[in-house]
Amino acid sequence: GGQPHRLFLAPRKGGRGPRRMWLEVDPETFHIVGLEFFDSMGNGTRIHFRNIKAGIKLSPEMFQFEVPSGVDVVRAPERR
């Protein structure tokens, strides 16, 4: 129902992440239904979400990552 609310987000400091971003929020359910962002080169990406289901149980197996053969895994150093 109705036009989504658009929330503008911007980083506090410069960095490698997006330069600006908009979240589109359904005014009745408050689900995030869209996302638009631009990087430092001005490239834009727009994503729309639909058929959103909240409160469903997901199997832990859905989140098991298996490293493909021939791929090296590089881990980031631990933060102190």
Side-chain angles (χ1 to χ4, degrees), residues 3-64:
Q3 290 292 326
H5 298 298
R6 282 182 56 93
L7 305 172
F8 176 70
L9 306 171
R12 291 184 183 185
K13 296 191 244 181
R16 292 185 159 176
R19 293 291 180 242
R20 59 189 191 274
M21 178 183 298
W22 288 267
L23 290 179
E24 294 181 349
V25 180
D26 183 287
E28 292 179 14
T29 65
F30 299 106
H31 290 151
I32 295 173
V33 295
L35 172 65
E36 182 177 10
F37 61 91
F38 292 85
D39 65 18
S40 60
M41 304 282 287
N43 299 308
T45 300
R46 185 175 186 94
I47 302 169
H48 292 276
F49 304 105
R50 61 182 176 198
N51 300 324
I52 298 168
K53 296 177 182 153
I56 62 171
K57 293 194 179 224
L58 300 175
S59 167
E61 287 78 33
M62 288 183 67
F63 301 96
Q64 296 298 318

Side-chain angles (χ1 to χ4, degrees), residues 57-76:
K57 293 194 179 224
L58 300 175
S59 167
E61 287 78 33
M62 288 183 67
F63 301 96
Q64 296 298 318
F65 175 70
E66 294 183 24
V67 179
S69 63
V71 173
D72 294 328
V73 176
V74 179
R75 298 197 186 279

